[in-house]
């Protein structure tokens, strides 16, 4: 069961900041741009999937890899909160 505290800090801003830390960059990310173009790799996608699961959000590697943009990922997260 997902509790409020597990998902309360999840926001589009949190997601953007987390992705920036995964790609080890400080640039601004276009939320519609493919994150692979910013250097995101499969290990980072697996890491994010695992972190989301720990926060009560089921988002598989395949689901995240299918459309690797901030907008698509946030839509997936928001739908499963």
């Amino acid at each position: 069961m997902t509790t409020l505290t597990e998902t309360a800090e999840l926001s589009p801003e949190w997601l953007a900041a987390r992705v920036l830390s995964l790609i080890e960059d400080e640039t601004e990310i276009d939320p519609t741009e493919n994150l692979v173009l910013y250097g995101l790799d499969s290990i980072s996608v697996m890491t994010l999937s695992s972190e989301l699961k720990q926060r009560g959000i089921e988002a598989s590697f395949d689901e995240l890899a299918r459309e690797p943009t901030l907008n698509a990922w946030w839509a997936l997260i928001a739908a499963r909160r």
Side-chain angles (χ1 to χ4, degrees):
M1 173 184 258
T2 302
T3 65
L4 182 58
T5 57
E6 290 173 326
T7 60
E9 70 181 44
L10 294 177
S11 68
E13 295 78 20
W14 171 87
L15 180 61
R18 187 63 188 111
V19 169
L20 280 174
S21 70
L22 290 169
I23 61 174
E24 299 177 357
D25 201 347
E26 294 181 10
T27 187
E28 189 170 326
I29 296 177
D30 177 344
T32 63
E33 189 70 64
N34 187 321
L35 295 169
V36 173
L37 299 175
Y38 290 96
L40 188 76
D41 62 19
S42 59
I43 300 296
S44 297
V45 176
M46 286 187 269
T47 299
L48 182 63
S49 175
S50 176
E51 289 175 10
L52 289 171
K53 186 174 184 174
Q54 291 173 357
R55 296 173 188 278
I57 304 292
E58 291 291 332
S60 72
F61 171 85
D62 290 337
E63 290 172 313
L64 295 173
R66 192 172 303 130
E67 191 175 351
T69 68
L70 289 178
N71 281 350
W73 286 2
W74 181 250
L76 180 66
I77 292 167
R80 297 191 177 171
R81 289 180 85 176

